[in-house]
Amino acid sequence: GVQYEIDPKRMDEPDKIPKHVINIVGATQYIFDTIVRSVADIPAPIRSLLRKVYALTEARFPGAGLRAVGSLFFLRFVSPV
């Protein structure tokens, strides 16, 4: 199967780290693309909340709006545990 380990101390073949990094990037890109494609499926109240978080964050901390929205969305809705 696909492997993702990049800690050389936990690997039998540390020379495969570059391939594993490519695997990680590919998996991350797939997850990101899936989230972006599903924006229309996010309930309107949640989208409204995220827009407000973005606007308020940008007003107080210019340039940090996307980070705030991304963090909130991921930590509360994608991985809430």
Side-chain angles (χ1 to χ4, degrees), residues 35 46 70-81:
I35 292 169
I46 294 174
S71 297
L72 174 66
F73 182 78
F74 183 80
L75 294 173
R76 292 294 170 226
F77 302 110
V78 175
S79 179
V81 178

Side-chain angles (χ1 to χ4, degrees):
V2 179
Q3 297 195 11
Y4 302 97
E5 183 61 65
I6 57 172
D7 182 350
K9 296 174 188 167
R10 299 177 71 185
M11 299 176 68
D12 294 331
E13 301 175 81
D15 58 313
K16 293 192 176 182
I17 289 175
K19 172 63 177 153
H20 294 192
V21 168
I22 291 169
N23 294 343
I24 292 169
V25 170
T28 304
Q29 188 65 54
Y30 174 79
I31 292 167
F32 179 77
D33 290 345
T34 300
I35 292 169
V36 169
R37 281 193 311 271
S38 66
V39 167
D41 297 330
I42 297 171
I46 294 174
R47 286 197 317 265
S48 177
L49 168 71
L50 295 174
R51 276 192 297 273
K52 288 177 185 176
V53 168
Y54 176 82
L56 292 170
T57 302
E58 281 294 316
R60 181 148 177 139
F61 305 103
L66 287 178
R67 175 178 257 176
V69 167
S71 297
L72 174 66
F73 182 78
F74 183 80
L75 294 173
R76 292 294 170 226
F77 302 110
V78 175
S79 179
V81 178

